[in-house]
Amino acid sequence: MTVGVGFSGEVAEFYAKYRRGYPPPVIEALRAAFALTADDIVLDLGCGTGQLSLPLASQVRSVIGMDPEPDMLRLAAETAAGQGVRNVTWVLGADSDVPALGTLVGQGSLAMTVIGQALHWMRHEELFRTLAPLFRTGGGIAVVANGTPLWQQDCAWSHALRACLEDHFGRRLEATCGTAAHDRRRYAEALRTAGFTDVGETVIDYSDELTIDEIIGGVYSAVSEDKLPRHEDRPAFAERIHRSLPPGPYLESVQVSVLMGRGT
Ligand SMILES: C[S@@+](CC[C@H](N)C(=O)[O-])C[C@H]1O[C@@H](n2cnc3c(N)ncnc32)[C@H](O)[C@@H]1O
């Protein structure tokens, strides 16, 4: 089993506090696409701190929130307890553990597997093939991209943030983390190859304003723990980011992409 992939310790805490969740239209799009009901079971693979598991829990009988990072799962479980959500089972595991999970839940048992901002960590072709027999009629996979990394957006403050971070980390920050159009084309093709049908994308757009603290917290939520500035260096790091950015407001245009494919 793969355990611990970089979202550990304080990074998990920054993730829980600063990463965007998903607005109701995203949950509604998922519900409608797979006609989710109160009898259904959903797998949220790479569930992190529960950004999708928790709102989906109110739509179905049971959610399996699966993730290889114990700290992410711990925070997800704490949030669920705080919200009184009792129908999510938190499972420590990665995509490589899905075959074993399949033997537990059985063929035709899942209404949906949702993968939010996490497929780029997985062997997606193998995963799609493994998941295919597990869906009930009308069920399937949803690959969700929650906007674009803060330093890769097409606006002045994001360009300035990227330049500042590239200078700090001493490397180009080019990884798209599965959020770019070419990533979605690759995933769509892999879904079709694995036998999924009705493969298509729904996009939900909205915009929101970010504070400097949210920008810095968002950056801290996206690095591995060993790359976080030391506590004593954080005020200077924050000041450096602040000075690099143009004056606010810092508007973020968020495009949530939901790529879906139906099992056969
Ligand atoms: C960016 S977070 C996404 C969390 C949440 N799904 C969301 O939409 O915000 C990525 C998550 O994928 C998990 N992850 C990394 N490698 C994985 C793998 N091979 N299988 C399953 N999950 C994985 C990480 O531990 C992390 O919690």
Side-chain angles (χ1 to χ4, degrees), residues 128-168:
F128 292 166
R129 281 196 301 274
T130 305
L131 284 169
L134 301 183
F135 295 112
R136 62 135 167 85
T137 304
I141 294 182
V143 178
V144 184
N146 199 6
T148 309
L150 290 175
W151 53 90
Q152 283 184 341
Q153 301 180 14
D154 193 14
C155 60
W157 66 261
S158 179
H159 296 166
L161 178 66
R162 180 171 179 167
C164 176
L165 294 176
E166 288 188 342
D167 189 49
H168 174 82

mmCIF file of all heavy atoms in Angstrom, residues 128-168:
data_model
loop_
_atom_site.group_PDB
_atom_site.id
_atom_site.type_symbol
_atom_site.label_atom_id
_atom_site.label_comp_id
_atom_site.label_asym_id
_atom_site.label_seq_id
_atom_site.Cartn_x
_atom_site.Cartn_y
_atom_site.Cartn_z
ATOM 1 N N PHE A 128 -8.923 3.227 -14.645
ATOM 2 C CA PHE A 128 -10.208 3.241 -15.363
ATOM 3 C C PHE A 128 -10.638 1.806 -15.692
ATOM 4 O O PHE A 128 -11.810 1.453 -15.547
ATOM 5 C CB PHE A 128 -10.110 4.063 -16.653
ATOM 6 C CG PHE A 128 -9.921 5.553 -16.437
ATOM 7 C CD1 PHE A 128 -9.536 6.384 -17.492
ATOM 8 C CD2 PHE A 128 -10.119 6.141 -15.197
ATOM 9 C CE1 PHE A 128 -9.355 7.752 -17.310
ATOM 10 C CE2 PHE A 128 -9.945 7.511 -14.998
ATOM 11 C CZ PHE A 128 -9.555 8.313 -16.055
ATOM 12 N N ARG A 129 -9.682 0.989 -16.115
ATOM 13 C CA ARG A 129 -10.024 -0.414 -16.451
ATOM 14 C C ARG A 129 -10.492 -1.158 -15.194
ATOM 15 O O ARG A 129 -11.436 -1.933 -15.233
ATOM 16 C CB ARG A 129 -8.801 -1.142 -17.046
ATOM 17 C CG ARG A 129 -8.543 -0.830 -18.506
ATOM 18 C CD ARG A 129 -7.591 -1.853 -19.116
ATOM 19 N NE ARG A 129 -6.297 -1.903 -18.448
ATOM 20 C CZ ARG A 129 -5.259 -1.108 -18.741
ATOM 21 N NH1 ARG A 129 -5.365 -0.224 -19.697
ATOM 22 N NH2 ARG A 129 -4.115 -1.220 -18.093
ATOM 23 N N THR A 130 -9.825 -0.902 -14.072
ATOM 24 C CA THR A 130 -10.184 -1.584 -12.820
ATOM 25 C C THR A 130 -11.567 -1.161 -12.346
ATOM 26 O O THR A 130 -12.348 -1.974 -11.841
ATOM 27 C CB THR A 130 -9.159 -1.247 -11.708
ATOM 28 O OG1 THR A 130 -7.870 -1.565 -12.182
ATOM 29 C CG2 THR A 130 -9.442 -2.008 -10.438
ATOM 30 N N LEU A 131 -11.875 0.125 -12.513
ATOM 31 C CA LEU A 131 -13.156 0.633 -12.004
ATOM 32 C C LEU A 131 -14.342 0.204 -12.872
ATOM 33 O O LEU A 131 -15.460 0.036 -12.357
ATOM 34 C CB LEU A 131 -13.116 2.170 -11.939
ATOM 35 C CG LEU A 131 -12.318 2.784 -10.777
ATOM 36 C CD1 LEU A 131 -12.132 4.286 -10.984
ATOM 37 C CD2 LEU A 131 -13.041 2.536 -9.434
ATOM 38 N N ALA A 132 -14.115 0.022 -14.172
ATOM 39 C CA ALA A 132 -15.229 -0.171 -15.122
ATOM 40 C C ALA A 132 -16.284 -1.184 -14.643
ATOM 41 O O ALA A 132 -17.488 -0.881 -14.699
ATOM 42 C CB ALA A 132 -14.684 -0.526 -16.498
ATOM 43 N N PRO A 133 -15.904 -2.383 -14.166
ATOM 44 C CA PRO A 133 -16.955 -3.343 -13.785
ATOM 45 C C PRO A 133 -17.646 -3.038 -12.461
ATOM 46 O O PRO A 133 -18.628 -3.700 -12.108
ATOM 47 C CB PRO A 133 -16.194 -4.682 -13.683
ATOM 48 C CG PRO A 133 -14.766 -4.326 -13.530
ATOM 49 C CD PRO A 133 -14.558 -2.951 -14.070
ATOM 50 N N LEU A 134 -17.163 -2.035 -11.742
ATOM 51 C CA LEU A 134 -17.712 -1.793 -10.398
ATOM 52 C C LEU A 134 -18.965 -0.927 -10.404
ATOM 53 O O LEU A 134 -19.617 -0.769 -9.369
ATOM 54 C CB LEU A 134 -16.646 -1.137 -9.502
ATOM 55 C CG LEU A 134 -15.343 -1.936 -9.301
ATOM 56 C CD1 LEU A 134 -14.426 -1.200 -8.330
ATOM 57 C CD2 LEU A 134 -15.644 -3.334 -8.773
ATOM 58 N N PHE A 135 -19.316 -0.335 -11.601
ATOM 59 C CA PHE A 135 -20.437 0.614 -11.601
ATOM 60 C C PHE A 135 -21.787 -0.056 -11.819
ATOM 61 O O PHE A 135 -21.914 -0.989 -12.616
ATOM 62 C CB PHE A 135 -20.216 1.688 -12.674
ATOM 63 C CG PHE A 135 -19.022 2.537 -12.362
ATOM 64 C CD1 PHE A 135 -17.888 2.487 -13.145
ATOM 65 C CD2 PHE A 135 -19.024 3.352 -11.232
ATOM 66 C CE1 PHE A 135 -16.778 3.249 -12.826
ATOM 67 C CE2 PHE A 135 -17.915 4.117 -10.900
ATOM 68 C CZ PHE A 135 -16.792 4.064 -11.692
ATOM 69 N N ARG A 136 -22.772 0.448 -11.117
ATOM 70 C CA ARG A 136 -24.154 0.052 -11.386
ATOM 71 C C ARG A 136 -24.572 0.667 -12.722
ATOM 72 O O ARG A 136 -23.906 1.584 -13.228
ATOM 73 C CB ARG A 136 -25.089 0.505 -10.255
ATOM 74 C CG ARG A 136 -25.170 2.018 -10.042
ATOM 75 C CD ARG A 136 -26.603 2.460 -9.872
ATOM 76 N NE ARG A 136 -26.760 3.801 -9.375
ATOM 77 C CZ ARG A 136 -26.745 4.912 -10.131
ATOM 78 N NH1 ARG A 136 -26.497 4.854 -11.442
ATOM 79 N NH2 ARG A 136 -26.961 6.085 -9.574
ATOM 80 N N THR A 137 -25.682 0.212 -13.267
ATOM 81 C CA THR A 137 -26.179 0.766 -14.528
ATOM 82 C C THR A 137 -26.323 2.286 -14.400
ATOM 83 O O THR A 137 -26.894 2.779 -13.415
ATOM 84 C CB THR A 137 -27.555 0.149 -14.860
ATOM 85 O OG1 THR A 137 -27.377 -1.258 -14.877
ATOM 86 C CG2 THR A 137 -28.060 0.632 -16.200
ATOM 87 N N GLY A 138 -25.795 3.004 -15.385
ATOM 88 C CA GLY A 138 -25.908 4.473 -15.384
ATOM 89 C C GLY A 138 -24.842 5.163 -14.566
ATOM 90 O O GLY A 138 -24.775 6.395 -14.541
ATOM 91 N N GLY A 139 -24.004 4.390 -13.868
ATOM 92 C CA GLY A 139 -22.961 4.993 -13.037
ATOM 93 C C GLY A 139 -21.688 5.248 -13.842
ATOM 94 O O GLY A 139 -21.599 4.874 -15.016
ATOM 95 N N GLY A 140 -20.713 5.878 -13.220
ATOM 96 C CA GLY A 140 -19.466 6.111 -13.949
ATOM 97 C C GLY A 140 -18.469 6.954 -13.178
ATOM 98 O O GLY A 140 -18.586 7.128 -11.963
ATOM 99 N N ILE A 141 -17.516 7.478 -13.941
ATOM 100 C CA ILE A 141 -16.380 8.211 -13.359
ATOM 101 C C ILE A 141 -16.538 9.714 -13.622
ATOM 102 O O ILE A 141 -16.964 10.112 -14.702
ATOM 103 C CB ILE A 141 -15.065 7.733 -14.013
ATOM 104 C CG1 ILE A 141 -14.792 6.273 -13.655
ATOM 105 C CG2 ILE A 141 -13.887 8.615 -13.605
ATOM 106 C CD1 ILE A 141 -13.488 5.725 -14.203
ATOM 107 N N ALA A 142 -16.161 10.524 -12.640
ATOM 108 C CA ALA A 142 -16.079 11.977 -12.835
ATOM 109 C C ALA A 142 -14.685 12.441 -12.416
ATOM 110 O O ALA A 142 -14.255 12.187 -11.286
ATOM 111 C CB ALA A 142 -17.146 12.681 -11.995
ATOM 112 N N VAL A 143 -13.996 13.079 -13.345
ATOM 113 C CA VAL A 143 -12.666 13.628 -13.071
ATOM 114 C C VAL A 143 -12.835 15.143 -12.953
ATOM 115 O O VAL A 143 -13.234 15.801 -13.917
ATOM 116 C CB VAL A 143 -11.695 13.299 -14.231
ATOM 117 C CG1 VAL A 143 -10.325 13.909 -13.953
ATOM 118 C CG2 VAL A 143 -11.593 11.789 -14.448
ATOM 119 N N VAL A 144 -12.555 15.666 -11.765
ATOM 120 C CA VAL A 144 -12.862 17.073 -11.508
ATOM 121 C C VAL A 144 -11.567 17.884 -11.351
ATOM 122 O O VAL A 144 -10.666 17.484 -10.615
ATOM 123 C CB VAL A 144 -13.713 17.205 -10.218
ATOM 124 C CG1 VAL A 144 -14.123 18.654 -10.002
ATOM 125 C CG2 VAL A 144 -14.939 16.302 -10.289
ATOM 126 N N ALA A 145 -11.490 19.005 -12.070
ATOM 127 C CA ALA A 145 -10.368 19.942 -11.911
ATOM 128 C C ALA A 145 -10.926 21.216 -11.286
ATOM 129 O O ALA A 145 -11.859 21.815 -11.830
ATOM 130 C CB ALA A 145 -9.725 20.250 -13.253
ATOM 131 N N ASN A 146 -10.382 21.588 -10.146
ATOM 132 C CA ASN A 146 -10.917 22.735 -9.401
ATOM 133 C C ASN A 146 -10.134 24.000 -9.730
ATOM 134 O O ASN A 146 -9.333 24.491 -8.941
ATOM 135 C CB ASN A 146 -10.850 22.432 -7.898
ATOM 136 C CG ASN A 146 -11.766 23.331 -7.100
ATOM 137 O OD1 ASN A 146 -12.538 24.099 -7.673
ATOM 138 N ND2 ASN A 146 -11.704 23.241 -5.779
ATOM 139 N N GLY A 147 -10.367 24.535 -10.932
ATOM 140 C CA GLY A 147 -9.665 25.763 -11.326
ATOM 141 C C GLY A 147 -8.228 25.488 -11.728
ATOM 142 O O GLY A 147 -7.839 24.360 -11.992
ATOM 143 N N THR A 148 -7.448 26.566 -11.723
ATOM 144 C CA THR A 148 -6.056 26.528 -12.179
ATOM 145 C C THR A 148 -5.183 26.913 -10.998
ATOM 146 O O THR A 148 -5.595 27.748 -10.186
ATOM 147 C CB THR A 148 -5.885 27.587 -13.315
ATOM 148 O OG1 THR A 148 -6.922 27.366 -14.266
ATOM 149 C CG2 THR A 148 -4.551 27.500 -13.979
ATOM 150 N N PRO A 149 -3.978 26.323 -10.870
ATOM 151 C CA PRO A 149 -3.118 26.740 -9.746
ATOM 152 C C PRO A 149 -2.989 28.271 -9.657
ATOM 153 O O PRO A 149 -2.985 28.961 -10.689
ATOM 154 C CB PRO A 149 -1.764 26.079 -10.089
ATOM 155 C CG PRO A 149 -2.133 24.859 -10.875
ATOM 156 C CD PRO A 149 -3.355 25.250 -11.673
ATOM 157 N N LEU A 150 -2.910 28.770 -8.442
ATOM 158 C CA LEU A 150 -2.941 30.232 -8.216
ATOM 159 C C LEU A 150 -1.895 30.986 -9.024
ATOM 160 O O LEU A 150 -2.114 32.131 -9.406
ATOM 161 C CB LEU A 150 -2.704 30.524 -6.725
ATOM 162 C CG LEU A 150 -3.830 30.148 -5.762
ATOM 163 C CD1 LEU A 150 -3.384 30.382 -4.322
ATOM 164 C CD2 LEU A 150 -5.084 30.962 -6.081
ATOM 165 N N TRP A 151 -0.751 30.340 -9.284
ATOM 166 C CA TRP A 151 0.359 31.023 -9.968
ATOM 167 C C TRP A 151 0.335 30.775 -11.481
ATOM 168 O O TRP A 151 1.259 31.123 -12.176
ATOM 169 C CB TRP A 151 1.705 30.543 -9.389
ATOM 170 C CG TRP A 151 1.820 29.063 -9.400
ATOM 171 C CD1 TRP A 151 2.326 28.278 -10.396
ATOM 172 C CD2 TRP A 151 1.395 28.168 -8.376
ATOM 173 N NE1 TRP A 151 2.228 26.952 -10.058
ATOM 174 C CE2 TRP A 151 1.662 26.858 -8.816
ATOM 175 C CE3 TRP A 151 0.803 28.347 -7.114
ATOM 176 C CZ2 TRP A 151 1.360 25.739 -8.053
ATOM 177 C CZ3 TRP A 151 0.505 27.222 -6.366
ATOM 178 C CH2 TRP A 151 0.788 25.950 -6.840
ATOM 179 N N GLN A 152 -0.748 30.161 -11.976
ATOM 180 C CA GLN A 152 -0.803 29.883 -13.419
ATOM 181 C C GLN A 152 -2.013 30.507 -14.084
ATOM 182 O O GLN A 152 -2.428 30.076 -15.151
ATOM 183 C CB GLN A 152 -0.815 28.369 -13.657
ATOM 184 C CG GLN A 152 0.552 27.761 -13.486
ATOM 185 C CD GLN A 152 0.572 26.309 -13.817
ATOM 186 O OE1 GLN A 152 -0.461 25.664 -13.842
ATOM 187 N NE2 GLN A 152 1.743 25.785 -14.069
ATOM 188 N N GLN A 153 -2.597 31.500 -13.430
ATOM 189 C CA GLN A 153 -3.792 32.098 -14.007
ATOM 190 C C GLN A 153 -3.403 33.267 -14.915
ATOM 191 O O GLN A 153 -2.299 33.784 -14.823
ATOM 192 C CB GLN A 153 -4.738 32.518 -12.881
ATOM 193 C CG GLN A 153 -5.096 31.285 -12.048
ATOM 194 C CD GLN A 153 -6.034 31.565 -10.907
ATOM 195 O OE1 GLN A 153 -6.642 32.625 -10.844
ATOM 196 N NE2 GLN A 153 -6.155 30.603 -10.003
ATOM 197 N N ASP A 154 -4.365 33.629 -15.772
ATOM 198 C CA ASP A 154 -4.052 34.632 -16.782
ATOM 199 C C ASP A 154 -4.449 36.021 -16.294
ATOM 200 O O ASP A 154 -5.422 36.603 -16.769
ATOM 201 C CB ASP A 154 -4.784 34.260 -18.085
ATOM 202 C CG ASP A 154 -4.259 35.073 -19.243
ATOM 203 O OD1 ASP A 154 -3.180 35.692 -19.082
ATOM 204 O OD2 ASP A 154 -4.924 35.116 -20.293
ATOM 205 N N CYS A 155 -3.722 36.510 -15.301
ATOM 206 C CA CYS A 155 -4.001 37.862 -14.791
ATOM 207 C C CYS A 155 -2.720 38.382 -14.125
ATOM 208 O O CYS A 155 -1.816 37.600 -13.801
ATOM 209 C CB CYS A 155 -5.169 37.850 -13.803
ATOM 210 S SG CYS A 155 -4.880 36.833 -12.380
ATOM 211 N N ALA A 156 -2.691 39.691 -13.915
ATOM 212 C CA ALA A 156 -1.433 40.331 -13.477
ATOM 213 C C ALA A 156 -0.959 39.794 -12.119
ATOM 214 O O ALA A 156 0.228 39.509 -11.941
ATOM 215 C CB ALA A 156 -1.636 41.840 -13.428
ATOM 216 N N TRP A 157 -1.873 39.646 -11.138
ATOM 217 C CA TRP A 157 -1.391 39.228 -9.816
ATOM 218 C C TRP A 157 -0.830 37.809 -9.853
ATOM 219 O O TRP A 157 0.135 37.483 -9.156
ATOM 220 C CB TRP A 157 -2.474 39.388 -8.731
ATOM 221 C CG TRP A 157 -3.689 38.518 -8.846
ATOM 222 C CD1 TRP A 157 -4.899 38.863 -9.352
ATOM 223 C CD2 TRP A 157 -3.818 37.146 -8.418
ATOM 224 N NE1 TRP A 157 -5.770 37.803 -9.268
ATOM 225 C CE2 TRP A 157 -5.136 36.743 -8.705
ATOM 226 C CE3 TRP A 157 -2.956 36.218 -7.827
ATOM 227 C CZ2 TRP A 157 -5.603 35.459 -8.427
ATOM 228 C CZ3 TRP A 157 -3.417 34.935 -7.545
ATOM 229 C CH2 TRP A 157 -4.728 34.564 -7.855
ATOM 230 N N SER A 158 -1.445 36.945 -10.698
ATOM 231 C CA SER A 158 -0.977 35.558 -10.785
ATOM 232 C C SER A 158 0.387 35.489 -11.481
ATOM 233 O O SER A 158 1.267 34.728 -11.064
ATOM 234 C CB SER A 158 -2.016 34.722 -11.533
ATOM 235 O OG SER A 158 -1.578 33.397 -11.650
ATOM 236 N N HIS A 159 0.572 36.316 -12.527
ATOM 237 C CA HIS A 159 1.880 36.351 -13.205
ATOM 238 C C HIS A 159 2.967 36.794 -12.215
ATOM 239 O O HIS A 159 4.058 36.221 -12.182
ATOM 240 C CB HIS A 159 1.849 37.314 -14.397
ATOM 241 C CG HIS A 159 0.902 36.875 -15.479
ATOM 242 N ND1 HIS A 159 0.495 37.703 -16.498
ATOM 243 C CD2 HIS A 159 0.270 35.693 -15.704
ATOM 244 C CE1 HIS A 159 -0.345 37.053 -17.294
ATOM 245 N NE2 HIS A 159 -0.492 35.836 -16.823
ATOM 246 N N ALA A 160 2.619 37.808 -11.405
ATOM 247 C CA ALA A 160 3.600 38.319 -10.432
ATOM 248 C C ALA A 160 3.900 37.253 -9.369
ATOM 249 O O ALA A 160 5.048 37.073 -8.955
ATOM 250 C CB ALA A 160 3.064 39.593 -9.780
ATOM 251 N N LEU A 161 2.848 36.538 -8.952
ATOM 252 C CA LEU A 161 3.040 35.476 -7.951
ATOM 253 C C LEU A 161 3.964 34.390 -8.505
ATOM 254 O O LEU A 161 4.884 33.925 -7.834
ATOM 255 C CB LEU A 161 1.674 34.880 -7.577
ATOM 256 C CG LEU A 161 1.702 33.723 -6.589
ATOM 257 C CD1 LEU A 161 2.208 34.189 -5.215
ATOM 258 C CD2 LEU A 161 0.303 33.093 -6.444
ATOM 259 N N ARG A 162 3.727 34.038 -9.752
ATOM 260 C CA ARG A 162 4.549 32.975 -10.360
ATOM 261 C C ARG A 162 6.025 33.390 -10.413
ATOM 262 O O ARG A 162 6.909 32.603 -10.061
ATOM 263 C CB ARG A 162 4.027 32.658 -11.764
ATOM 264 C CG ARG A 162 4.841 31.578 -12.441
ATOM 265 C CD ARG A 162 4.187 31.126 -13.724
ATOM 266 N NE ARG A 162 4.974 30.124 -14.390
ATOM 267 C CZ ARG A 162 4.528 29.382 -15.384
ATOM 268 N NH1 ARG A 162 3.286 29.525 -15.808
ATOM 269 N NH2 ARG A 162 5.306 28.485 -15.948
ATOM 270 N N ALA A 163 6.256 34.632 -10.845
ATOM 271 C CA ALA A 163 7.645 35.101 -10.931
ATOM 272 C C ALA A 163 8.306 35.061 -9.550
ATOM 273 O O ALA A 163 9.448 34.611 -9.396
ATOM 274 C CB ALA A 163 7.672 36.516 -11.503
ATOM 275 N N CYS A 164 7.559 35.467 -8.535
ATOM 276 C CA CYS A 164 8.099 35.491 -7.170
ATOM 277 C C CYS A 164 8.398 34.063 -6.685
ATOM 278 O O CYS A 164 9.462 33.785 -6.126
ATOM 279 C CB CYS A 164 7.072 36.172 -6.260
ATOM 280 S SG CYS A 164 7.508 36.187 -4.534
ATOM 281 N N LEU A 165 7.488 33.137 -6.957
ATOM 282 C CA LEU A 165 7.675 31.760 -6.489
ATOM 283 C C LEU A 165 8.798 31.065 -7.268
ATOM 284 O O LEU A 165 9.578 30.296 -6.695
ATOM 285 C CB LEU A 165 6.368 30.958 -6.637
ATOM 286 C CG LEU A 165 5.209 31.416 -5.746
ATOM 287 C CD1 LEU A 165 3.943 30.613 -6.044
ATOM 288 C CD2 LEU A 165 5.562 31.304 -4.264
ATOM 289 N N GLU A 166 8.878 31.342 -8.559
ATOM 290 C CA GLU A 166 9.943 30.706 -9.357
ATOM 291 C C GLU A 166 11.307 31.180 -8.858
ATOM 292 O O GLU A 166 12.255 30.412 -8.775
ATOM 293 C CB GLU A 166 9.749 31.006 -10.848
ATOM 294 C CG GLU A 166 8.566 30.227 -11.417
ATOM 295 C CD GLU A 166 8.422 30.319 -12.927
ATOM 296 O OE1 GLU A 166 9.002 31.245 -13.529
ATOM 297 O OE2 GLU A 166 7.709 29.467 -13.496
ATOM 298 N N ASP A 167 11.362 32.455 -8.491
ATOM 299 C CA ASP A 167 12.610 32.989 -7.965
ATOM 300 C C ASP A 167 12.931 32.330 -6.612
ATOM 301 O O ASP A 167 14.054 31.895 -6.361
ATOM 302 C CB ASP A 167 12.460 34.511 -7.822
ATOM 303 C CG ASP A 167 13.777 35.155 -7.494
ATOM 304 O OD1 ASP A 167 14.747 34.837 -8.200
ATOM 305 O OD2 ASP A 167 13.843 35.944 -6.537
ATOM 306 N N HIS A 168 11.907 32.198 -5.765
ATOM 307 C CA HIS A 168 12.123 31.620 -4.435
ATOM 308 C C HIS A 168 12.547 30.149 -4.530
ATOM 309 O O HIS A 168 13.501 29.731 -3.867
ATOM 310 C CB HIS A 168 10.838 31.741 -3.605
ATOM 311 C CG HIS A 168 10.935 31.048 -2.280
ATOM 312 N ND1 HIS A 168 11.534 31.626 -1.174
ATOM 313 C CD2 HIS A 168 10.541 29.796 -1.884
ATOM 314 C CE1 HIS A 168 11.487 30.772 -0.165
ATOM 315 N NE2 HIS A 168 10.888 29.661 -0.567
#
